[in-house]
Amino acid sequence: MSTPRHTETERKFRVHGLFRLPSLAASEGAAPLPGVADVREGGTLDLLAVYYDTADLRLARSRVSLRRREGGPDEGWHLKLPTEGLETREELWCPLSAGALPPEELTDVVRALTRGAALEEVAALRTTRVVHDLLDSEGAVLAELTDDSVSVLDGEHVAARFREIEVELGTGEVELLDAVGEVLGVAGAVPGGYVSKVGRALGPLATAPPDVAEPEPPGLDDPAGEVVRAHLARNVVALLAQDRRVRLDEPDSVHQMRVAARRIRSGLKTFAPLVEEGWAVALREQLAWVAGVLGGVRDREVLRERLLRHLAEVAESLPGLDTAPAAGLVDRTLADEAAAARAGVLEVMRSPRYLDLLDRLVDAANVPRLTEAAQEPARTALPPLLGRAWRRLSRRVAILAEADDDHHWHEARISAKQARYAAEALAPVFGKPARRFAEQLERVTELLGEHQDAAVAATTVRALASGRRVGGQVGFTLGLLHAAERRSIEDTRAEFRRVWPEVARRHHRAWLQP
């Protein structure tokens, strides 16, 4: 993603039309602000912003805004996205030359929210902005305070007016925002929360919940179907959030999106008696498709990092061996494959099939198709379902006592993940016992995950060596690397056999008994 990006941290304050901005400069008798040596008047700007959203305000309800702004030093297209901190937002920018309609570079980022719904003009705001820069002793801008008089336009007419103060952090610390807020509060300004200008202009619908909101955890006496709905909603929210991060090529986003897809799919299997079979199977098939596409990128990312790390360890153990040619082969091959796989992911994420799946997941999170069994209280309906997942895992592990095939170990890993995800889904309802059981299962999934990574690495190294018929020093190095991965498999198997009896102790599952 080459679109310019930056993160802004700001606070808003509501003020009346006759509000008088207090003095912010200590030299004028006001209380000193931390680090502020001077206040520079930045002049007055006339800004016109046209906001775009779906008819049902999907962007605004998710704290996202997309606008076309004319005037000011940053005129252009702006997409503002929420971050984990309520006071911060990430902003993406495109020039006005991108066109008269919202540019693809920005609309693609929020496609998981719009899901094919048309973007249309929803508000037009004309703002007269007075700028005040809070400077340190060297002239750096610690924060920018803007005094905005906003007119909400209805065609050529002004439908409403309001005024607000914004303080956006520059090079200063958050404590400066606290201090400025205190000064403004004494003068009569009211903290404006985190509602944007367009949110104020659009009214209550803009601050309504998003399409999927995380529900409060159900209780033990609530219907089991409420636990299903909470599990689906929690993970659909995660998938939608990671969708945006994948499109922005952010670190670990592919992995986290894949995990969210797998958790939803696993939950539909664990809770099978509580949901309509055909509906759940159809969703699971589509989620398997998406997880598989994402896996093409994730697996190559993990594999490349792993093999290069292990090649460095080989070089350290044999100082006379030049591992650079083998490292170059591994790096180039897997980097090219990862890039191709990522292009495939983005193509899929822009397809009608994927957008249809997102619509279905949103519906599933809000109104899952439940059976009559879902009306049973959670305390009695859910433990047997987790018990079933545990027994499936136990059977798979029993096979490993005599199995030397990597495939059997991979099947055990799949069952372990399903049991772990099931325990984690029940943890908000059943509390500490479920969380502790999930932690025990995590020990298993981590070991089996390491086993799978080593097995894939060994297979990949062998393919690199045989597919290119490499010889000499490169072939010798790859042979050492293959042997190292097979040793890692054996070491992991030994550690698993040591850990499993501890994980399988009955007291970890005592809470599952009626």
Side-chain angles (χ1 to χ4, degrees), residues 323-380:
T323 60
L329 174 62
V330 168
D331 193 23
R332 289 191 306 274
T333 302
L334 294 180
D336 289 346
E337 290 180 1
R342 172 168 171 75
V345 165
L346 294 178
E347 182 178 355
V348 162
M349 291 173 66
R350 292 161 184 156
S351 69
R353 178 183 176 184
Y354 173 74
L355 296 179
D356 176 67
L357 172 60
L358 292 186
D359 267 334
R360 292 165 65 187
L361 288 174
V362 169
D363 290 341
N366 289 312
V367 190
R369 297 188 185 178
L370 304 173
T371 64
E372 290 186 10
Q375 294 301 314
E376 185 180 342
R379 70 167 69 244
T380 56

Side-chain angles (χ1 to χ4, degrees), residues 153 167 202 487-488:
L153 304 181
V167 186
L202 292 172
R487 282 196 303 274
S488 178

Side-chain angles (χ1 to χ4, degrees), residues 70 282 350 374 399:
E70 297 177 12
R350 292 161 184 156
I399 295 173

Side-chain angles (χ1 to χ4, degrees), residues 322-454:
D322 182 9
T323 60
L329 174 62
V330 168
D331 193 23
R332 289 191 306 274
T333 302
L334 294 180
D336 289 346
E337 290 180 1
R342 172 168 171 75
V345 165
L346 294 178
E347 182 178 355
V348 162
M349 291 173 66
R350 292 161 184 156
S351 69
R353 178 183 176 184
Y354 173 74
L355 296 179
D356 176 67
L357 172 60
L358 292 186
D359 267 334
R360 292 165 65 187
L361 288 174
V362 169
D363 290 341
N366 289 312
V367 190
R369 297 188 185 178
L370 304 173
T371 64
E372 290 186 10
Q375 294 301 314
E376 185 180 342
R379 70 167 69 244
T380 56
L382 297 179
L385 302 184
L386 176 53
R388 180 185 300 176
W390 166 258
R391 289 190 295 274
R392 186 182 301 111
L393 170 59
S394 297
R395 290 193 296 269
R396 290 277 173 84
V397 172
I399 295 173
L400 300 183
E402 300 178 358
D404 193 45
D405 188 339
D406 292 341
H407 176 68
H408 288 102
W409 288 80
H410 181 47
E411 287 186 332
R413 175 181 178 239
I414 293 172
S415 294
K417 280 201 168 187
Q418 185 184 353
R420 173 187 164 188
Y421 290 162
E424 290 173 345
L426 269 58
V429 184
F430 288 84
K432 187 180 294 184
R435 285 195 296 272
R436 287 179 173 174
F437 186 40
E439 289 168 359
Q440 291 297 319
L441 290 169
E442 185 176 9
R443 298 173 66 189
V444 173
T445 58
E446 290 298 317
L447 283 170
L448 293 175
E450 168 61 23
H451 184 284
Q452 176 66 6
D453 288 347

